[in-house]
mmCIF file of all heavy atoms in Angstrom:
data_model
loop_
_atom_site.group_PDB
_atom_site.id
_atom_site.type_symbol
_atom_site.label_atom_id
_atom_site.label_comp_id
_atom_site.label_asym_id
_atom_site.label_seq_id
_atom_site.Cartn_x
_atom_site.Cartn_y
_atom_site.Cartn_z
ATOM 1 N N ASP A 11 0.746 -1.151 0.101
ATOM 2 C CA ASP A 11 -0.064 -0.007 -0.025
ATOM 3 C C ASP A 11 0.804 1.202 0.062
ATOM 4 O O ASP A 11 0.349 2.329 -0.229
ATOM 5 C CB ASP A 11 -0.974 0.006 1.266
ATOM 6 C CG ASP A 11 -2.027 -0.995 1.061
ATOM 7 O OD1 ASP A 11 -2.362 -1.346 -0.032
ATOM 8 O OD2 ASP A 11 -2.605 -1.307 2.200
ATOM 9 N N SER A 12 2.198 1.231 0.224
ATOM 10 C CA SER A 12 2.971 2.396 0.319
ATOM 11 C C SER A 12 3.272 2.851 -1.040
ATOM 12 O O SER A 12 3.124 2.215 -2.124
ATOM 13 C CB SER A 12 4.335 2.058 1.065
ATOM 14 O OG SER A 12 5.059 1.132 0.236
ATOM 15 N N LEU A 13 3.788 4.095 -1.238
ATOM 16 C CA LEU A 13 3.964 4.726 -2.582
ATOM 17 C C LEU A 13 5.238 4.256 -3.092
ATOM 18 O O LEU A 13 6.193 3.873 -2.322
ATOM 19 C CB LEU A 13 3.903 6.270 -2.263
ATOM 20 C CG LEU A 13 2.600 6.750 -1.824
ATOM 21 C CD1 LEU A 13 2.670 8.230 -1.464
ATOM 22 C CD2 LEU A 13 1.361 6.483 -2.666
ATOM 23 N N ASP A 14 5.378 4.546 -4.255
ATOM 24 C CA ASP A 14 6.748 4.041 -4.974
ATOM 25 C C ASP A 14 7.709 5.245 -4.850
ATOM 26 O O ASP A 14 7.577 6.303 -5.422
ATOM 27 C CB ASP A 14 6.329 3.945 -6.494
ATOM 28 C CG ASP A 14 7.510 3.446 -7.326
ATOM 29 O OD1 ASP A 14 8.686 3.477 -6.761
ATOM 30 O OD2 ASP A 14 7.400 3.109 -8.461
ATOM 31 N N HIS A 15 8.797 4.852 -4.039
ATOM 32 C CA HIS A 15 9.668 5.900 -3.783
ATOM 33 C C HIS A 15 10.655 6.265 -4.929
ATOM 34 O O HIS A 15 11.250 7.295 -4.963
ATOM 35 C CB HIS A 15 10.633 5.411 -2.474
ATOM 36 C CG HIS A 15 9.840 5.245 -1.241
ATOM 37 N ND1 HIS A 15 10.536 5.096 -0.092
ATOM 38 C CD2 HIS A 15 8.542 5.302 -0.880
ATOM 39 C CE1 HIS A 15 9.624 5.021 0.882
ATOM 40 N NE2 HIS A 15 8.535 5.057 0.247
ATOM 41 N N ASP A 16 10.620 5.425 -5.856
ATOM 42 C CA ASP A 16 11.379 5.645 -7.018
ATOM 43 C C ASP A 16 11.012 6.697 -7.875
ATOM 44 O O ASP A 16 11.659 7.280 -8.751
ATOM 45 C CB ASP A 16 11.688 4.401 -7.901
ATOM 46 C CG ASP A 16 12.479 3.364 -7.035
ATOM 47 O OD1 ASP A 16 13.407 3.793 -6.200
ATOM 48 O OD2 ASP A 16 12.216 2.099 -7.293
ATOM 49 N N ASP A 17 9.730 7.044 -7.877
ATOM 50 C CA ASP A 17 9.112 8.039 -8.776
ATOM 51 C C ASP A 17 9.392 9.580 -8.156
ATOM 52 O O ASP A 17 9.015 9.756 -6.992
ATOM 53 C CB ASP A 17 7.600 7.793 -8.988
ATOM 54 C CG ASP A 17 7.019 8.648 -9.990
ATOM 55 O OD1 ASP A 17 6.967 9.951 -9.886
ATOM 56 O OD2 ASP A 17 6.648 8.023 -11.149
ATOM 57 N N PRO A 18 9.931 10.397 -8.919
ATOM 58 C CA PRO A 18 10.258 11.716 -8.365
ATOM 59 C C PRO A 18 8.908 12.449 -7.856
ATOM 60 O O PRO A 18 9.068 13.328 -7.024
ATOM 61 C CB PRO A 18 10.901 12.391 -9.632
ATOM 62 C CG PRO A 18 10.581 11.631 -10.750
ATOM 63 C CD PRO A 18 10.425 10.260 -10.328
ATOM 64 N N VAL A 19 7.735 12.314 -8.586
ATOM 65 C CA VAL A 19 6.599 12.874 -8.154
ATOM 66 C C VAL A 19 6.160 12.461 -6.726
ATOM 67 O O VAL A 19 5.902 13.272 -5.963
ATOM 68 C CB VAL A 19 5.522 12.649 -9.119
ATOM 69 C CG1 VAL A 19 4.133 13.310 -8.702
ATOM 70 C CG2 VAL A 19 5.771 13.191 -10.522
ATOM 71 N N GLU A 20 6.274 11.203 -6.549
ATOM 72 C CA GLU A 20 5.927 10.716 -5.204
ATOM 73 C C GLU A 20 7.066 11.072 -4.106
ATOM 74 O O GLU A 20 6.698 11.303 -2.948
ATOM 75 C CB GLU A 20 5.873 9.214 -5.378
ATOM 76 C CG GLU A 20 4.656 8.780 -6.163
ATOM 77 C CD GLU A 20 4.600 7.374 -6.354
ATOM 78 O OE1 GLU A 20 5.387 6.489 -5.875
ATOM 79 O OE2 GLU A 20 3.521 6.848 -6.924
ATOM 80 N N GLU A 21 8.260 11.207 -4.598
ATOM 81 C CA GLU A 21 9.217 11.856 -3.625
ATOM 82 C C GLU A 21 8.925 13.263 -3.210
ATOM 83 O O GLU A 21 9.170 13.652 -2.075
ATOM 84 C CB GLU A 21 10.639 11.809 -4.230
ATOM 85 C CG GLU A 21 11.307 10.383 -4.400
ATOM 86 C CD GLU A 21 12.643 10.407 -4.872
ATOM 87 O OE1 GLU A 21 13.318 11.498 -5.039
ATOM 88 O OE2 GLU A 21 13.266 9.325 -5.079
ATOM 89 N N VAL A 22 8.446 14.048 -4.170
ATOM 90 C CA VAL A 22 7.938 15.337 -3.694
ATOM 91 C C VAL A 22 6.864 15.248 -2.772
ATOM 92 O O VAL A 22 6.821 15.957 -1.734
ATOM 93 C CB VAL A 22 7.374 16.155 -4.990
ATOM 94 C CG1 VAL A 22 6.776 17.522 -4.580
ATOM 95 C CG2 VAL A 22 8.540 16.423 -6.001
ATOM 96 N N PHE A 23 5.815 14.363 -3.014
ATOM 97 C CA PHE A 23 4.819 14.153 -1.959
ATOM 98 C C PHE A 23 5.372 13.773 -0.587
ATOM 99 O O PHE A 23 4.933 14.282 0.434
ATOM 100 C CB PHE A 23 3.798 13.226 -2.530
ATOM 101 C CG PHE A 23 2.878 12.593 -1.560
ATOM 102 C CD1 PHE A 23 1.630 13.274 -1.333
ATOM 103 C CD2 PHE A 23 3.032 11.387 -0.793
ATOM 104 C CE1 PHE A 23 0.712 12.810 -0.393
ATOM 105 C CE2 PHE A 23 2.125 10.899 0.065
ATOM 106 C CZ PHE A 23 0.914 11.593 0.345
ATOM 107 N N GLU A 24 6.270 12.788 -0.617
ATOM 108 C CA GLU A 24 6.841 12.434 0.670
ATOM 109 C C GLU A 24 7.594 13.462 1.356
ATOM 110 O O GLU A 24 7.568 13.516 2.542
ATOM 111 C CB GLU A 24 7.627 11.025 0.425
ATOM 112 C CG GLU A 24 6.854 9.925 -0.098
ATOM 113 C CD GLU A 24 7.887 8.693 -0.530
ATOM 114 O OE1 GLU A 24 8.858 8.763 -0.509
ATOM 115 O OE2 GLU A 24 7.186 7.602 -0.642
ATOM 116 N N ASP A 25 8.231 14.208 0.705
ATOM 117 C CA ASP A 25 9.027 15.251 1.269
ATOM 118 C C ASP A 25 8.091 16.260 1.895
ATOM 119 O O ASP A 25 8.304 16.841 2.980
ATOM 120 C CB ASP A 25 9.931 15.977 0.296
ATOM 121 C CG ASP A 25 11.285 15.201 -0.026
ATOM 122 O OD1 ASP A 25 11.319 14.149 0.622
ATOM 123 O OD2 ASP A 25 11.998 15.612 -0.713
ATOM 124 N N GLN A 26 7.002 16.533 1.266
ATOM 125 C CA GLN A 26 5.928 17.549 1.825
ATOM 126 C C GLN A 26 5.308 16.968 3.082
ATOM 127 O O GLN A 26 5.268 17.695 4.043
ATOM 128 C CB GLN A 26 4.843 17.675 0.752
ATOM 129 C CG GLN A 26 5.304 18.541 -0.467
ATOM 130 C CD GLN A 26 4.164 18.585 -1.497
ATOM 131 O OE1 GLN A 26 3.147 18.029 -1.432
ATOM 132 N NE2 GLN A 26 4.468 19.469 -2.492
ATOM 133 N N VAL A 27 4.939 15.726 3.127
ATOM 134 C CA VAL A 27 4.280 15.219 4.396
ATOM 135 C C VAL A 27 5.454 15.094 5.495
ATOM 136 O O VAL A 27 5.001 15.148 6.639
ATOM 137 C CB VAL A 27 3.453 13.953 4.191
ATOM 138 C CG1 VAL A 27 2.345 14.175 3.123
ATOM 139 C CG2 VAL A 27 4.391 12.803 3.535
ATOM 140 N N ALA A 28 6.622 14.652 5.138
ATOM 141 C CA ALA A 28 7.556 14.555 6.065
ATOM 142 C C ALA A 28 7.976 15.804 6.832
ATOM 143 O O ALA A 28 8.439 15.698 8.014
ATOM 144 C CB ALA A 28 8.982 13.891 5.395
ATOM 145 N N CYS A 29 7.787 16.944 6.271
ATOM 146 C CA CYS A 29 8.098 18.228 6.724
ATOM 147 C C CYS A 29 6.908 18.888 7.592
ATOM 148 O O CYS A 29 7.097 19.720 8.215
ATOM 149 C CB CYS A 29 8.598 19.294 5.657
ATOM 150 S SG CYS A 29 9.407 20.682 6.277
ATOM 151 N N ALA A 30 5.713 18.168 7.428
ATOM 152 C CA ALA A 30 4.651 18.850 8.025
ATOM 153 C C ALA A 30 4.335 18.515 9.485
ATOM 154 O O ALA A 30 4.857 17.584 10.027
ATOM 155 C CB ALA A 30 3.350 18.131 7.267
ATOM 156 N N ASP A 31 3.747 19.640 10.144
ATOM 157 C CA ASP A 31 3.387 19.499 11.575
ATOM 158 C C ASP A 31 1.922 19.136 11.641
ATOM 159 O O ASP A 31 1.465 18.697 12.845
ATOM 160 C CB ASP A 31 3.545 20.932 12.119
ATOM 161 C CG ASP A 31 4.912 21.333 12.088
ATOM 162 O OD1 ASP A 31 5.785 20.839 12.704
ATOM 163 O OD2 ASP A 31 5.313 22.385 11.283
ATOM 164 N N LEU A 32 1.209 19.139 10.534
ATOM 165 C CA LEU A 32 -0.217 18.896 10.578
ATOM 166 C C LEU A 32 -0.513 18.486 9.073
ATOM 167 O O LEU A 32 -0.185 19.149 8.089
ATOM 168 C CB LEU A 32 -1.061 20.067 11.009
ATOM 169 C CG LEU A 32 -2.454 19.886 11.294
ATOM 170 C CD1 LEU A 32 -2.678 19.099 12.660
ATOM 171 C CD2 LEU A 32 -3.250 21.224 11.553
ATOM 172 N N ILE A 33 -1.377 17.388 9.012
ATOM 173 C CA ILE A 33 -1.807 16.859 7.753
ATOM 174 C C ILE A 33 -3.232 17.175 7.727
ATOM 175 O O ILE A 33 -4.038 16.818 8.583
ATOM 176 C CB ILE A 33 -1.549 15.390 7.504
ATOM 177 C CG1 ILE A 33 -0.097 15.032 7.627
ATOM 178 C CG2 ILE A 33 -2.085 14.916 6.246
ATOM 179 C CD1 ILE A 33 0.692 15.537 6.678
ATOM 180 N N ILE A 34 -3.736 17.787 6.501
ATOM 181 C CA ILE A 34 -5.244 17.942 6.266
ATOM 182 C C ILE A 34 -5.565 16.922 5.180
ATOM 183 O O ILE A 34 -5.004 17.019 4.018
ATOM 184 C CB ILE A 34 -5.559 19.499 5.797
ATOM 185 C CG1 ILE A 34 -5.094 20.495 6.923
ATOM 186 C CG2 ILE A 34 -6.864 19.531 5.361
ATOM 187 C CD1 ILE A 34 -5.849 20.355 8.048
ATOM 188 N N LEU A 35 -6.321 16.064 5.634
ATOM 189 C CA LEU A 35 -6.819 15.049 4.557
ATOM 190 C C LEU A 35 -8.059 15.362 4.016
ATOM 191 O O LEU A 35 -9.109 15.395 4.574
ATOM 192 C CB LEU A 35 -7.040 13.591 5.426
ATOM 193 C CG LEU A 35 -7.276 12.419 4.587
ATOM 194 C CD1 LEU A 35 -5.988 12.091 3.765
ATOM 195 C CD2 LEU A 35 -7.652 11.213 5.365
ATOM 196 N N SER A 36 -7.974 16.057 2.783
ATOM 197 C CA SER A 36 -9.107 16.663 2.146
ATOM 198 C C SER A 36 -10.040 15.731 1.503
ATOM 199 O O SER A 36 -9.769 14.532 1.347
ATOM 200 C CB SER A 36 -8.577 17.581 1.072
ATOM 201 O OG SER A 36 -7.951 16.934 -0.113
ATOM 202 N N LYS A 37 -11.268 16.214 1.167
ATOM 203 C CA LYS A 37 -12.309 15.524 0.438
ATOM 204 C C LYS A 37 -12.778 14.284 1.310
ATOM 205 O O LYS A 37 -13.108 13.242 0.675
ATOM 206 C CB LYS A 37 -11.889 15.148 -0.939
ATOM 207 C CG LYS A 37 -11.348 16.301 -1.687
ATOM 208 C CD LYS A 37 -10.537 15.819 -3.067
ATOM 209 C CE LYS A 37 -9.975 17.127 -3.651
ATOM 210 N NZ LYS A 37 -9.091 16.599 -4.801
ATOM 211 N N SER A 38 -12.781 14.515 2.582
ATOM 212 C CA SER A 38 -13.229 13.217 3.450
ATOM 213 C C SER A 38 -14.642 12.826 3.178
ATOM 214 O O SER A 38 -14.958 11.633 3.366
ATOM 215 C CB SER A 38 -13.022 13.591 4.845
ATOM 216 O OG SER A 38 -13.816 14.795 5.255
ATOM 217 N N ASP A 39 -15.464 13.833 2.651
ATOM 218 C CA ASP A 39 -16.864 13.448 2.236
ATOM 219 C C ASP A 39 -16.972 12.419 1.209
ATOM 220 O O ASP A 39 -18.084 11.881 0.944
ATOM 221 C CB ASP A 39 -17.656 14.761 2.119
ATOM 222 C CG ASP A 39 -17.068 15.552 1.040
ATOM 223 O OD1 ASP A 39 -15.880 15.685 0.978
ATOM 224 O OD2 ASP A 39 -17.806 16.090 0.047
ATOM 225 N N LEU A 40 -15.916 12.398 0.415
ATOM 226 C CA LEU A 40 -15.842 11.394 -0.746
ATOM 227 C C LEU A 40 -15.312 10.046 -0.477
ATOM 228 O O LEU A 40 -15.151 9.288 -1.278
ATOM 229 C CB LEU A 40 -15.057 12.110 -1.905
ATOM 230 C CG LEU A 40 -15.538 13.363 -2.405
ATOM 231 C CD1 LEU A 40 -14.590 14.023 -3.459
ATOM 232 C CD2 LEU A 40 -17.021 13.458 -2.823
ATOM 233 N N MET A 41 -14.991 9.808 0.870
ATOM 234 C CA MET A 41 -14.386 8.501 1.239
ATOM 235 C C MET A 41 -15.349 7.850 2.262
ATOM 236 O O MET A 41 -15.965 8.458 3.028
ATOM 237 C CB MET A 41 -13.127 8.728 1.850
ATOM 238 C CG MET A 41 -11.973 9.232 1.029
ATOM 239 S SD MET A 41 -10.347 9.241 1.847
ATOM 240 C CE MET A 41 -10.592 10.470 3.040
ATOM 241 N N ASP A 42 -15.511 6.531 2.104
ATOM 242 C CA ASP A 42 -16.143 5.742 3.101
ATOM 243 C C ASP A 42 -15.160 5.287 4.135
ATOM 244 O O ASP A 42 -13.920 5.696 4.102
ATOM 245 C CB ASP A 42 -16.819 4.456 2.489
ATOM 246 C CG ASP A 42 -15.783 3.502 1.618
ATOM 247 O OD1 ASP A 42 -14.594 3.684 1.963
ATOM 248 O OD2 ASP A 42 -16.330 2.637 0.948
ATOM 249 N N GLY A 43 -15.563 4.521 5.213
ATOM 250 C CA GLY A 43 -14.655 4.127 6.253
ATOM 251 C C GLY A 43 -13.423 3.312 5.811
ATOM 252 O O GLY A 43 -12.295 3.711 6.247
ATOM 253 N N THR A 44 -13.591 2.470 4.820
ATOM 254 C CA THR A 44 -12.472 1.649 4.328
ATOM 255 C C THR A 44 -11.466 2.542 3.676
ATOM 256 O O THR A 44 -10.251 2.478 3.916
ATOM 257 C CB THR A 44 -12.975 0.723 3.350
ATOM 258 O OG1 THR A 44 -13.925 -0.252 4.081
ATOM 259 C CG2 THR A 44 -11.850 -0.196 2.848
ATOM 260 N N ALA A 45 -11.887 3.410 2.857
ATOM 261 C CA ALA A 45 -10.961 4.338 2.078
ATOM 262 C C ALA A 45 -10.301 5.267 3.051
ATOM 263 O O ALA A 45 -8.979 5.600 2.964
ATOM 264 C CB ALA A 45 -11.799 5.095 1.090
ATOM 265 N N SER A 46 -11.103 5.811 4.054
ATOM 266 C CA SER A 46 -10.359 6.785 5.039
ATOM 267 C C SER A 46 -9.365 6.003 5.899
ATOM 268 O O SER A 46 -8.198 6.487 5.961
ATOM 269 C CB SER A 46 -11.392 7.270 5.985
ATOM 270 O OG SER A 46 -10.963 8.085 6.811
ATOM 271 N N ALA A 47 -9.627 4.815 6.163
ATOM 272 C CA ALA A 47 -8.661 3.882 6.930
ATOM 273 C C ALA A 47 -7.315 3.678 6.122
ATOM 274 O O ALA A 47 -6.226 3.752 6.539
ATOM 275 C CB ALA A 47 -9.205 2.660 7.450
ATOM 276 N N LYS A 48 -7.579 3.468 4.890
ATOM 277 C CA LYS A 48 -6.390 3.149 3.858
ATOM 278 C C LYS A 48 -5.597 4.470 3.635
ATOM 279 O O LYS A 48 -4.332 4.423 3.765
ATOM 280 C CB LYS A 48 -7.011 2.724 2.513
ATOM 281 C CG LYS A 48 -5.797 2.253 1.673
ATOM 282 C CD LYS A 48 -6.389 1.515 0.400
ATOM 283 C CE LYS A 48 -5.315 0.991 -0.389
ATOM 284 N NZ LYS A 48 -5.815 0.303 -1.629
ATOM 285 N N ALA A 49 -6.178 5.538 3.551
ATOM 286 C CA ALA A 49 -5.450 6.806 3.391
ATOM 287 C C ALA A 49 -4.644 7.065 4.627
ATOM 288 O O ALA A 49 -3.454 7.501 4.458
ATOM 289 C CB ALA A 49 -6.330 7.775 2.991
ATOM 290 N N ASN A 50 -5.367 6.973 5.842
ATOM 291 C CA ASN A 50 -4.602 7.190 7.112
ATOM 292 C C ASN A 50 -3.444 6.226 7.167
ATOM 293 O O ASN A 50 -2.400 6.605 7.803
ATOM 294 C CB ASN A 50 -5.571 7.226 8.227
ATOM 295 C CG ASN A 50 -6.297 8.429 8.418
ATOM 296 O OD1 ASN A 50 -5.837 9.322 9.145
ATOM 297 N ND2 ASN A 50 -7.563 8.486 7.810
ATOM 298 N N ALA A 51 -3.620 5.017 6.908
ATOM 299 C CA ALA A 51 -2.526 4.023 7.103
ATOM 300 C C ALA A 51 -1.427 4.372 6.167
ATOM 301 O O ALA A 51 -0.190 4.329 6.715
ATOM 302 C CB ALA A 51 -3.076 2.577 6.753
ATOM 303 N N ILE A 52 -1.455 4.794 4.969
ATOM 304 C CA ILE A 52 -0.459 5.154 4.044
ATOM 305 C C ILE A 52 0.203 6.419 4.765
ATOM 306 O O ILE A 52 1.429 6.401 4.731
ATOM 307 C CB ILE A 52 -1.035 5.508 2.651
ATOM 308 C CG1 ILE A 52 -1.600 4.283 2.047
ATOM 309 C CG2 ILE A 52 0.128 6.109 1.690
ATOM 310 C CD1 ILE A 52 -2.264 4.504 0.679
ATOM 311 N N LEU A 53 -0.477 7.439 5.117
ATOM 312 C CA LEU A 53 0.100 8.567 5.731
ATOM 313 C C LEU A 53 0.941 8.164 6.967
ATOM 314 O O LEU A 53 1.970 8.813 7.233
ATOM 315 C CB LEU A 53 -0.873 9.579 6.046
ATOM 316 C CG LEU A 53 -1.559 10.434 4.899
ATOM 317 C CD1 LEU A 53 -2.630 11.336 5.447
ATOM 318 C CD2 LEU A 53 -0.464 11.430 4.399
ATOM 319 N N GLY A 54 0.374 7.280 7.687
ATOM 320 C CA GLY A 54 1.073 6.882 8.963
ATOM 321 C C GLY A 54 2.456 6.349 8.623
ATOM 322 O O GLY A 54 3.324 6.308 9.587
ATOM 323 N N ASP A 55 2.791 5.835 7.430
ATOM 324 C CA ASP A 55 4.068 5.307 7.047
ATOM 325 C C ASP A 55 5.097 6.449 6.782
ATOM 326 O O ASP A 55 6.233 6.209 6.732
ATOM 327 C CB ASP A 55 4.002 4.370 5.890
ATOM 328 C CG ASP A 55 3.254 3.071 6.293
ATOM 329 O OD1 ASP A 55 3.235 2.685 7.449
ATOM 330 O OD2 ASP A 55 2.689 2.411 5.287
ATOM 331 N N HIS A 56 4.527 7.604 6.624
ATOM 332 C CA HIS A 56 5.513 8.725 6.096
ATOM 333 C C HIS A 56 5.480 9.949 7.021
ATOM 334 O O HIS A 56 6.359 10.842 6.870
ATOM 335 C CB HIS A 56 5.003 9.209 4.793
ATOM 336 C CG HIS A 56 4.990 8.131 3.747
ATOM 337 N ND1 HIS A 56 6.194 7.608 3.250
ATOM 338 C CD2 HIS A 56 4.038 7.479 3.101
ATOM 339 C CE1 HIS A 56 5.980 6.590 2.294
ATOM 340 N NE2 HIS A 56 4.721 6.610 2.271
#
């Protein structure tokens, strides 16, 4: 479920969240419980 570190676009994303003090998980109204849990789990790795 983790992102592909070899891709430079994804490295930009990882650098952004690694520097963050707070993560805003947007568009939560478009996710069900399973999707929300998956997104949070991926963020939890970074």
